[in-house]
mmCIF file of all heavy atoms in Angstrom:
data_model
loop_
_atom_site.group_PDB
_atom_site.id
_atom_site.type_symbol
_atom_site.label_atom_id
_atom_site.label_comp_id
_atom_site.label_asym_id
_atom_site.label_seq_id
_atom_site.Cartn_x
_atom_site.Cartn_y
_atom_site.Cartn_z
ATOM 1 N N GLN A 30 -8.458 2.884 -16.047
ATOM 2 C CA GLN A 30 -7.249 3.201 -16.812
ATOM 3 C C GLN A 30 -6.032 2.477 -16.212
ATOM 4 O O GLN A 30 -5.209 1.909 -16.928
ATOM 5 C CB GLN A 30 -7.016 4.717 -16.828
ATOM 6 C CG GLN A 30 -5.810 5.144 -17.655
ATOM 7 C CD GLN A 30 -5.946 4.745 -19.127
ATOM 8 O OE1 GLN A 30 -6.961 5.030 -19.757
ATOM 9 N NE2 GLN A 30 -4.939 4.037 -19.663
ATOM 10 N N LEU A 31 -5.948 2.476 -14.874
ATOM 11 C CA LEU A 31 -4.824 1.787 -14.225
ATOM 12 C C LEU A 31 -4.871 0.286 -14.521
ATOM 13 O O LEU A 31 -3.839 -0.355 -14.724
ATOM 14 C CB LEU A 31 -4.834 2.030 -12.709
ATOM 15 C CG LEU A 31 -4.655 3.481 -12.250
ATOM 16 C CD1 LEU A 31 -4.611 3.550 -10.714
ATOM 17 C CD2 LEU A 31 -3.372 4.090 -12.824
ATOM 18 N N ALA A 32 -6.100 -0.261 -14.555
ATOM 19 C CA ALA A 32 -6.248 -1.686 -14.876
ATOM 20 C C ALA A 32 -5.758 -1.930 -16.303
ATOM 21 O O ALA A 32 -5.010 -2.877 -16.572
ATOM 22 C CB ALA A 32 -7.701 -2.110 -14.713
ATOM 23 N N ALA A 33 -6.168 -1.053 -17.222
ATOM 24 C CA ALA A 33 -5.737 -1.198 -18.618
ATOM 25 C C ALA A 33 -4.219 -1.027 -18.739
ATOM 26 O O ALA A 33 -3.574 -1.624 -19.597
ATOM 27 C CB ALA A 33 -6.452 -0.166 -19.493
ATOM 28 N N ASP A 34 -3.657 -0.225 -17.856
ATOM 29 C CA ASP A 34 -2.208 0.019 -17.874
ATOM 30 C C ASP A 34 -1.414 -1.162 -17.316
ATOM 31 O O ASP A 34 -0.185 -1.164 -17.365
ATOM 32 C CB ASP A 34 -1.865 1.267 -17.050
ATOM 33 C CG ASP A 34 -2.252 2.550 -17.772
ATOM 34 O OD1 ASP A 34 -2.536 2.496 -18.983
ATOM 35 O OD2 ASP A 34 -2.268 3.608 -17.105
ATOM 36 N N GLY A 35 -2.108 -2.134 -16.708
ATOM 37 C CA GLY A 35 -1.390 -3.327 -16.246
ATOM 38 C C GLY A 35 -1.413 -3.580 -14.759
ATOM 39 O O GLY A 35 -0.665 -4.426 -14.259
ATOM 40 N N ALA A 36 -2.277 -2.871 -14.011
ATOM 41 C CA ALA A 36 -2.368 -3.155 -12.570
ATOM 42 C C ALA A 36 -3.073 -4.495 -12.345
ATOM 43 O O ALA A 36 -4.029 -4.817 -13.048
ATOM 44 C CB ALA A 36 -3.156 -2.046 -11.869
ATOM 45 N N ASP A 37 -2.613 -5.263 -11.379
ATOM 46 C CA ASP A 37 -3.306 -6.501 -10.978
ATOM 47 C C ASP A 37 -4.302 -6.205 -9.872
ATOM 48 O O ASP A 37 -5.239 -6.957 -9.645
ATOM 49 C CB ASP A 37 -2.302 -7.527 -10.446
ATOM 50 C CG ASP A 37 -1.379 -8.041 -11.540
ATOM 51 O OD1 ASP A 37 -1.863 -8.229 -12.663
ATOM 52 O OD2 ASP A 37 -0.188 -8.244 -11.250
ATOM 53 N N VAL A 38 -4.043 -5.131 -9.141
ATOM 54 C CA VAL A 38 -4.845 -4.767 -7.969
ATOM 55 C C VAL A 38 -5.119 -3.274 -8.041
ATOM 56 O O VAL A 38 -4.259 -2.502 -8.465
ATOM 57 C CB VAL A 38 -4.050 -5.057 -6.667
ATOM 58 C CG1 VAL A 38 -4.849 -4.642 -5.441
ATOM 59 C CG2 VAL A 38 -3.637 -6.512 -6.576
ATOM 60 N N LEU A 39 -6.316 -2.857 -7.615
ATOM 61 C CA LEU A 39 -6.629 -1.429 -7.486
ATOM 62 C C LEU A 39 -6.865 -1.137 -6.015
ATOM 63 O O LEU A 39 -7.708 -1.776 -5.376
ATOM 64 C CB LEU A 39 -7.876 -1.087 -8.306
ATOM 65 C CG LEU A 39 -7.751 -1.330 -9.813
ATOM 66 C CD1 LEU A 39 -9.091 -1.070 -10.510
ATOM 67 C CD2 LEU A 39 -6.652 -0.463 -10.426
ATOM 68 N N ASP A 40 -6.112 -0.187 -5.471
ATOM 69 C CA ASP A 40 -6.189 0.140 -4.051
ATOM 70 C C ASP A 40 -7.010 1.416 -3.884
ATOM 71 O O ASP A 40 -6.565 2.495 -4.274
ATOM 72 C CB ASP A 40 -4.772 0.345 -3.502
ATOM 73 C CG ASP A 40 -4.740 0.449 -1.986
ATOM 74 O OD1 ASP A 40 -5.494 -0.290 -1.324
ATOM 75 O OD2 ASP A 40 -3.926 1.241 -1.460
ATOM 76 N N ILE A 41 -8.199 1.278 -3.308
ATOM 77 C CA ILE A 41 -9.118 2.409 -3.191
ATOM 78 C C ILE A 41 -9.023 2.979 -1.772
ATOM 79 O O ILE A 41 -9.272 2.265 -0.798
ATOM 80 C CB ILE A 41 -10.588 1.958 -3.434
ATOM 81 C CG1 ILE A 41 -10.701 0.967 -4.604
ATOM 82 C CG2 ILE A 41 -11.499 3.175 -3.622
ATOM 83 C CD1 ILE A 41 -10.259 1.492 -5.924
ATOM 84 N N GLY A 42 -8.682 4.271 -1.668
ATOM 85 C CA GLY A 42 -8.511 4.883 -0.353
ATOM 86 C C GLY A 42 -9.359 6.129 -0.189
ATOM 87 O O GLY A 42 -9.409 6.975 -1.082
ATOM 88 N N GLY A 43 -10.015 6.263 0.972
ATOM 89 C CA GLY A 43 -10.857 7.425 1.240
ATOM 90 C C GLY A 43 -10.354 8.280 2.380
ATOM 91 O O GLY A 43 -11.026 9.217 2.810
ATOM 92 N N GLU A 44 -9.159 7.945 2.888
ATOM 93 C CA GLU A 44 -8.589 8.764 3.963
ATOM 94 C C GLU A 44 -7.111 8.998 3.679
ATOM 95 O O GLU A 44 -6.348 8.057 3.519
ATOM 96 C CB GLU A 44 -8.715 8.059 5.327
ATOM 97 C CG GLU A 44 -8.042 8.846 6.435
ATOM 98 C CD GLU A 44 -8.255 8.273 7.835
ATOM 99 O OE1 GLU A 44 -8.244 7.047 7.987
ATOM 100 O OE2 GLU A 44 -8.415 9.074 8.761
ATOM 101 N N SER A 45 -6.712 10.254 3.621
ATOM 102 C CA SER A 45 -5.306 10.564 3.384
ATOM 103 C C SER A 45 -4.480 10.199 4.608
ATOM 104 O O SER A 45 -4.886 10.426 5.742
ATOM 105 C CB SER A 45 -5.124 12.047 3.088
ATOM 106 O OG SER A 45 -3.737 12.333 3.061
ATOM 107 N N THR A 46 -3.301 9.618 4.348
ATOM 108 C CA THR A 46 -2.395 9.283 5.450
ATOM 109 C C THR A 46 -1.122 10.105 5.359
ATOM 110 O O THR A 46 -0.115 9.774 5.956
ATOM 111 C CB THR A 46 -2.034 7.787 5.399
ATOM 112 O OG1 THR A 46 -1.691 7.463 4.046
ATOM 113 C CG2 THR A 46 -3.192 6.939 5.849
ATOM 114 N N ARG A 47 -1.158 11.175 4.572
ATOM 115 C CA ARG A 47 0.070 11.970 4.430
ATOM 116 C C ARG A 47 0.414 12.604 5.784
ATOM 117 O O ARG A 47 -0.482 12.822 6.623
ATOM 118 C CB ARG A 47 -0.097 13.037 3.357
ATOM 119 C CG ARG A 47 -1.017 14.107 3.793
ATOM 120 C CD ARG A 47 -0.887 15.351 2.972
ATOM 121 N NE ARG A 47 -1.713 16.336 3.637
ATOM 122 C CZ ARG A 47 -2.210 17.403 3.089
ATOM 123 N NH1 ARG A 47 -1.957 17.661 1.839
ATOM 124 N NH2 ARG A 47 -2.955 18.239 3.768
ATOM 125 N N PRO A 48 1.705 12.953 5.981
ATOM 126 C CA PRO A 48 2.090 13.517 7.266
ATOM 127 C C PRO A 48 1.215 14.708 7.647
ATOM 128 O O PRO A 48 0.989 15.607 6.844
ATOM 129 C CB PRO A 48 3.546 13.950 7.036
ATOM 130 C CG PRO A 48 4.033 13.046 5.946
ATOM 131 C CD PRO A 48 2.840 12.779 5.073
ATOM 132 N N GLY A 49 0.676 14.696 8.872
ATOM 133 C CA GLY A 49 -0.129 15.804 9.381
ATOM 134 C C GLY A 49 -1.594 15.736 9.006
ATOM 135 O O GLY A 49 -2.380 16.593 9.419
ATOM 136 N N ALA A 50 -2.003 14.719 8.216
ATOM 137 C CA ALA A 50 -3.389 14.670 7.726
ATOM 138 C C ALA A 50 -4.392 14.514 8.870
ATOM 139 O O ALA A 50 -4.115 13.851 9.865
ATOM 140 C CB ALA A 50 -3.553 13.516 6.739
ATOM 141 N N ALA A 51 -5.561 15.129 8.682
ATOM 142 C CA ALA A 51 -6.618 15.029 9.684
ATOM 143 C C ALA A 51 -7.361 13.708 9.503
ATOM 144 O O ALA A 51 -7.374 13.135 8.424
ATOM 145 C CB ALA A 51 -7.587 16.191 9.509
ATOM 146 N N GLU A 52 -7.970 13.236 10.605
ATOM 147 C CA GLU A 52 -8.743 11.997 10.503
ATOM 148 C C GLU A 52 -10.084 12.254 9.830
ATOM 149 O O GLU A 52 -10.608 13.355 9.860
ATOM 150 C CB GLU A 52 -8.952 11.417 11.897
ATOM 151 C CG GLU A 52 -7.713 10.701 12.388
ATOM 152 C CD GLU A 52 -7.926 10.000 13.710
ATOM 153 O OE1 GLU A 52 -9.070 9.596 14.005
ATOM 154 O OE2 GLU A 52 -6.930 9.869 14.443
ATOM 155 N N VAL A 53 -10.629 11.191 9.251
ATOM 156 C CA VAL A 53 -11.897 11.273 8.543
ATOM 157 C C VAL A 53 -12.851 10.280 9.211
ATOM 158 O O VAL A 53 -12.422 9.213 9.648
ATOM 159 C CB VAL A 53 -11.678 10.868 7.065
ATOM 160 C CG1 VAL A 53 -12.987 10.813 6.301
ATOM 161 C CG2 VAL A 53 -10.717 11.829 6.386
ATOM 162 N N SER A 54 -14.139 10.620 9.300
ATOM 163 C CA SER A 54 -15.088 9.695 9.932
ATOM 164 C C SER A 54 -15.336 8.497 9.027
ATOM 165 O O SER A 54 -15.135 8.562 7.808
ATOM 166 C CB SER A 54 -16.416 10.418 10.181
ATOM 167 O OG SER A 54 -17.064 10.647 8.949
ATOM 168 N N ALA A 55 -15.803 7.398 9.645
ATOM 169 C CA ALA A 55 -16.111 6.192 8.861
ATOM 170 C C ALA A 55 -17.183 6.500 7.831
ATOM 171 O O ALA A 55 -17.116 6.040 6.685
ATOM 172 C CB ALA A 55 -16.559 5.068 9.787
ATOM 173 N N GLU A 56 -18.175 7.312 8.222
ATOM 174 C CA GLU A 56 -19.270 7.653 7.298
ATOM 175 C C GLU A 56 -18.735 8.362 6.058
ATOM 176 O O GLU A 56 -19.105 8.055 4.932
ATOM 177 C CB GLU A 56 -20.306 8.565 7.983
ATOM 178 C CG GLU A 56 -21.098 7.919 9.101
ATOM 179 C CD GLU A 56 -20.251 7.579 10.328
ATOM 180 O OE1 GLU A 56 -19.300 8.356 10.640
ATOM 181 O OE2 GLU A 56 -20.508 6.542 10.962
ATOM 182 N N GLU A 57 -17.813 9.319 6.281
ATOM 183 C CA GLU A 57 -17.264 10.074 5.157
ATOM 184 C C GLU A 57 -16.404 9.161 4.266
ATOM 185 O O GLU A 57 -16.471 9.223 3.033
ATOM 186 C CB GLU A 57 -16.438 11.261 5.685
ATOM 187 C CG GLU A 57 -15.728 12.084 4.625
ATOM 188 C CD GLU A 57 -16.676 12.710 3.595
ATOM 189 O OE1 GLU A 57 -17.889 12.835 3.870
ATOM 190 O OE2 GLU A 57 -16.182 13.045 2.495
ATOM 191 N N GLU A 58 -15.636 8.309 4.917
ATOM 192 C CA GLU A 58 -14.802 7.383 4.141
ATOM 193 C C GLU A 58 -15.680 6.474 3.280
ATOM 194 O O GLU A 58 -15.396 6.255 2.100
ATOM 195 C CB GLU A 58 -13.987 6.534 5.124
ATOM 196 C CG GLU A 58 -12.510 6.570 4.859
ATOM 197 C CD GLU A 58 -11.743 5.658 5.776
ATOM 198 O OE1 GLU A 58 -11.665 5.972 6.991
ATOM 199 O OE2 GLU A 58 -11.219 4.638 5.306
ATOM 200 N N LEU A 59 -16.740 5.954 3.883
ATOM 201 C CA LEU A 59 -17.648 5.069 3.139
ATOM 202 C C LEU A 59 -18.291 5.805 1.975
ATOM 203 O O LEU A 59 -18.429 5.272 0.877
ATOM 204 C CB LEU A 59 -18.725 4.515 4.080
ATOM 205 C CG LEU A 59 -18.245 3.423 5.038
ATOM 206 C CD1 LEU A 59 -19.262 3.191 6.149
ATOM 207 C CD2 LEU A 59 -17.980 2.127 4.280
ATOM 208 N N ARG A 60 -18.689 7.052 2.245
ATOM 209 C CA ARG A 60 -19.334 7.848 1.198
ATOM 210 C C ARG A 60 -18.386 8.014 0.000
ATOM 211 O O ARG A 60 -18.808 8.062 -1.143
ATOM 212 C CB ARG A 60 -19.693 9.213 1.787
ATOM 213 C CG ARG A 60 -20.819 9.937 1.078
ATOM 214 C CD ARG A 60 -21.088 11.297 1.730
ATOM 215 N NE ARG A 60 -19.919 12.180 1.708
ATOM 216 C CZ ARG A 60 -19.453 12.805 0.638
ATOM 217 N NH1 ARG A 60 -20.056 12.672 -0.514
ATOM 218 N NH2 ARG A 60 -18.381 13.573 0.720
ATOM 219 N N ARG A 61 -17.096 8.071 0.283
ATOM 220 C CA ARG A 61 -16.126 8.251 -0.803
ATOM 221 C C ARG A 61 -15.825 6.940 -1.533
ATOM 222 O O ARG A 61 -15.740 6.925 -2.763
ATOM 223 C CB ARG A 61 -14.801 8.789 -0.226
ATOM 224 C CG ARG A 61 -14.904 10.199 0.308
ATOM 225 C CD ARG A 61 -13.589 10.627 0.963
ATOM 226 N NE ARG A 61 -13.687 11.940 1.581
ATOM 227 C CZ ARG A 61 -12.738 12.481 2.310
ATOM 228 N NH1 ARG A 61 -11.588 11.842 2.500
ATOM 229 N NH2 ARG A 61 -12.892 13.682 2.833
ATOM 230 N N VAL A 62 -15.632 5.851 -0.774
ATOM 231 C CA VAL A 62 -15.071 4.648 -1.425
ATOM 232 C C VAL A 62 -16.104 3.663 -1.972
ATOM 233 O O VAL A 62 -15.838 3.012 -2.993
ATOM 234 C CB VAL A 62 -14.093 3.885 -0.490
ATOM 235 C CG1 VAL A 62 -12.901 4.764 -0.142
ATOM 236 C CG2 VAL A 62 -14.781 3.370 0.766
ATOM 237 N N ILE A 63 -17.250 3.545 -1.308
ATOM 238 C CA ILE A 63 -18.197 2.492 -1.745
ATOM 239 C C ILE A 63 -18.683 2.718 -3.186
ATOM 240 O O ILE A 63 -18.672 1.778 -3.981
ATOM 241 C CB ILE A 63 -19.374 2.338 -0.749
ATOM 242 C CG1 ILE A 63 -18.843 1.901 0.639
ATOM 243 C CG2 ILE A 63 -20.421 1.347 -1.272
ATOM 244 C CD1 ILE A 63 -18.170 0.535 0.684
ATOM 245 N N PRO A 64 -19.059 3.952 -3.558
ATOM 246 C CA PRO A 64 -19.484 4.143 -4.959
ATOM 247 C C PRO A 64 -18.382 3.802 -5.962
ATOM 248 O O PRO A 64 -18.676 3.374 -7.082
ATOM 249 C CB PRO A 64 -19.820 5.640 -5.034
ATOM 250 C CG PRO A 64 -20.018 6.079 -3.628
ATOM 251 C CD PRO A 64 -19.169 5.201 -2.775
ATOM 252 N N VAL A 65 -17.146 3.970 -5.557
ATOM 253 C CA VAL A 65 -16.040 3.675 -6.476
ATOM 254 C C VAL A 65 -15.881 2.159 -6.630
ATOM 255 O O VAL A 65 -15.713 1.649 -7.750
ATOM 256 C CB VAL A 65 -14.736 4.342 -5.993
ATOM 257 C CG1 VAL A 65 -13.584 3.998 -6.923
ATOM 258 C CG2 VAL A 65 -14.927 5.852 -5.890
ATOM 259 N N ILE A 66 -15.959 1.436 -5.524
ATOM 260 C CA ILE A 66 -15.857 -0.039 -5.606
ATOM 261 C C ILE A 66 -17.024 -0.574 -6.431
ATOM 262 O O ILE A 66 -16.834 -1.378 -7.353
ATOM 263 C CB ILE A 66 -15.845 -0.653 -4.192
ATOM 264 C CG1 ILE A 66 -14.594 -0.206 -3.437
ATOM 265 C CG2 ILE A 66 -15.935 -2.184 -4.259
ATOM 266 C CD1 ILE A 66 -14.578 -0.582 -1.962
ATOM 267 N N GLU A 67 -18.218 -0.103 -6.105
ATOM 268 C CA GLU A 67 -19.397 -0.570 -6.847
ATOM 269 C C GLU A 67 -19.300 -0.186 -8.324
ATOM 270 O O GLU A 67 -19.642 -0.972 -9.207
ATOM 271 C CB GLU A 67 -20.669 0.018 -6.225
ATOM 272 C CG GLU A 67 -20.957 -0.601 -4.863
ATOM 273 C CD GLU A 67 -22.166 0.024 -4.153
ATOM 274 O OE1 GLU A 67 -22.648 1.102 -4.594
ATOM 275 O OE2 GLU A 67 -22.602 -0.550 -3.146
ATOM 276 N N GLY A 68 -18.820 1.013 -8.582
ATOM 277 C CA GLY A 68 -18.710 1.489 -9.959
ATOM 278 C C GLY A 68 -17.706 0.673 -10.764
ATOM 279 O O GLY A 68 -17.933 0.366 -11.932
#
Side-chain angles (χ1 to χ4, degrees):
Q30 183 61 51
L31 297 183
D34 286 346
D37 292 322
V38 178
L39 299 175
D40 190 39
I41 318 299
E44 176 174 39
S45 172
T46 47
R47 71 162 187 202
E52 282 186 28
V53 175
S54 71
E56 293 68 35
E57 176 59 20
E58 234 184 290
L59 285 166
R60 204 181 59 74
R61 292 176 184 174
V62 298
I63 298 296
V65 178
I66 296 171
E67 290 176 347

